[in-house]
């Protein structure tokens, strides 16, 4: 057969594949090059999917920076975990929010109530599980994105500071993972949860001085110290980096505790996720 005839046949087949739904590639399958060898039935039967890097539980606290999870931090966590090939399951407590904030005004919406699990499902695209069902035995690591929901819905830190109470399932989960020697990642304000529950832990929420408004929540570091935890702050602890407490396997990064560009926060969350996965693989 001439090369011209072969080219014509290829063009015809390509056009049929483009308009015929029956030949559309199935989701997750890669089309073979034209004329390439097809896998044998035996090969297909015995092929196995690569094992995930780790099974990671992500714990949310609602949807929205002022009354729930900070969306950009949650998205960064999920993107970095996805890129690393981790198997992710998302959780949130089935409890009422402390209050609902109108994010256009930064003020509470009077008379409005929302549920933390229901709101967190917005970020999880509906695939979410009640935190009461989370067991450290089923996962290799846990990650807590920030947002004021960590201080309002997962604990009462926003109101009570160092005298706060932590949601019973959040406390249970933190203790379970810690006792099992499995890593925990927390960003933004979420490290206060570990500081309250895991005494003597090392965390960072950034710098300890406001530095002209760059670190508007710098006072949080003093409360962390008052809880008996160690706050780690140095010239090399920046928003795009993460601090690792090797002894307790707790990894923290400041994220939006710093008034900075989104990509710096994204990079810091990525550093936290990488360190968590490294610890999970040991």
């Amino acid at each position: 057969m001439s090369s011209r005839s072969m080219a014509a046949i290829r063009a015809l087949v390509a056009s049929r594949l483009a308009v015929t739904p029956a030949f559309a590639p199935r989701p997750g399958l890669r089309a073979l090059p034209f004329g390439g060898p097809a896998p044998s039935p035996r090969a297909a039967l015995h092929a196995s999917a690569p094992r995930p890097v780790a099974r990671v539980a992500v714990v949310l606290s609602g949807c929205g920076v002022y009354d729930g999870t900070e969306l950009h931090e949650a998205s960064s966590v999920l993107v970095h975990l996805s890129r690393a090939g981790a198997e992710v399951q998302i959780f949130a407590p089935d409890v009422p929010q402390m209050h609902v904030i109108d994010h256009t005004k930064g003020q509470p919406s009077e008379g409005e109530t929302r549920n933390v699990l229901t709101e967190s499902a917005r970020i999880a695209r509906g695939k979410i599980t009640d935190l009461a069902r989370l067991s450290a035995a089923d996962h290799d690591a846990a990650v807590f994105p920030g947002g004021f929901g960590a201080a309002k819905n997962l604990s009462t830190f926003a109101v009570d500071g160092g005298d706060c109470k932590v949601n019973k399932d959040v406390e249970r989960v933190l203790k379970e993972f810690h006792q099992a020697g499995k890593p925990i990642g927390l960003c933004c304000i979420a490290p206060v949860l570990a500081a309250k529950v895991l005494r003597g832990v090392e965390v960072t929420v950034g710098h300890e001085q406001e530095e002209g408004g760059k670190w508007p929540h710098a006072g949080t570091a003093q409360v962390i110290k008052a809880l008996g935890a160690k706050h780690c702050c140095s010239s090399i602890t920046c928003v795009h980096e993460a601090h690792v407490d090797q002894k307790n396997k707790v990894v923290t990064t400041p994220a939006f505790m710093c008034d900075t560009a989104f990509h710096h926060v994204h990079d810091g969350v990525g550093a936290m996720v990488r360190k968590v996965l490294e610890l999970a693989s040991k």
Side-chain angles (χ1 to χ4, degrees), residues 2 16 31 43 45 89 122 131 144 157 162 167 180 190 192 219 256 272:
S2 69
R16 291 293 178 87
L45 280 173
Q89 189 172 2
R122 295 175 180 273
L131 185 62
F144 291 73
F157 184 82
N167 172 279
V192 301
F256 281 110
M272 176 190 71

Side-chain angles (χ1 to χ4, degrees), residues 91-280:
F91 298 84
D94 186 5
V95 296
Q97 288 186 188
M98 173 183 156
H99 58 192
V100 178
I101 296 292
D102 180 341
H103 280 61
T104 65
K105 301 175 182 177
Q107 298 175 350
S109 297
E110 299 299 332
E112 187 174 354
T113 60
R114 296 187 185 184
N115 177 276
V116 175
L117 180 64
T118 302
E119 290 300 294
S120 298
R122 295 175 180 273
I123 300 174
R125 298 174 60 84
K127 296 180 180 179
I128 198 161
T129 305
D130 186 345
L131 185 62
R133 296 172 58 187
L134 171 54
S135 170
D138 299 327
H139 301 274
D140 301 307
V143 176
F144 291 73
F148 282 98
K152 293 180 176 180
N153 304 327
L154 302 188
S155 72
T156 62
F157 184 82
V159 176
D160 301 323
D163 295 325
C164 68
K165 293 182 174 61
V166 176
N167 172 279
K168 62 180 178 61
D169 281 313
V170 172
E171 181 174 2
R172 174 186 59 79
V173 166
L174 288 170
K175 288 181 176 179
E176 277 188 12
F177 277 85
H178 183 251
Q179 291 167 2
K182 296 182 177 182
I184 302 166
L186 310 102
C187 64
C188 195
I189 193 66
V192 301
L193 302 171
K196 179 68 177 183
V197 174
L198 308 176
R199 298 302 171 90
V201 71
E202 295 180 4
V203 299
T204 188
V205 290
H207 290 195
E208 297 180 1
Q209 302 296 325
E210 292 190 15
E211 299 178 17
K214 183 178 180 180
W215 297 91
H217 310 291
T220 305
Q222 302 306 319
V223 183
I224 285 174
K225 291 178 181 179
L227 287 170
K230 179 180 179 181
H231 183 258
C232 299
C233 172
S234 70
S235 59
I236 62 170
T237 305
C238 300
V239 68
H240 58 274
E241 298 172 330
H243 175 77
V244 182
D245 178 347
Q246 294 285 353
K247 178 182 177 181
N248 292 293
K249 293 190 176 181
V250 171
V251 186
T252 51
T253 191
F256 281 110
M257 295 295 277
C258 181
D259 185 6
T260 189
F262 282 34
H263 69 279
H264 292 315
V265 172
H266 182 77
D267 291 346
V269 170
M272 176 190 71
V273 168
R274 285 193 299 275
K275 295 296 184 182
V276 166
L277 294 178
E278 285 174 10
L279 291 172

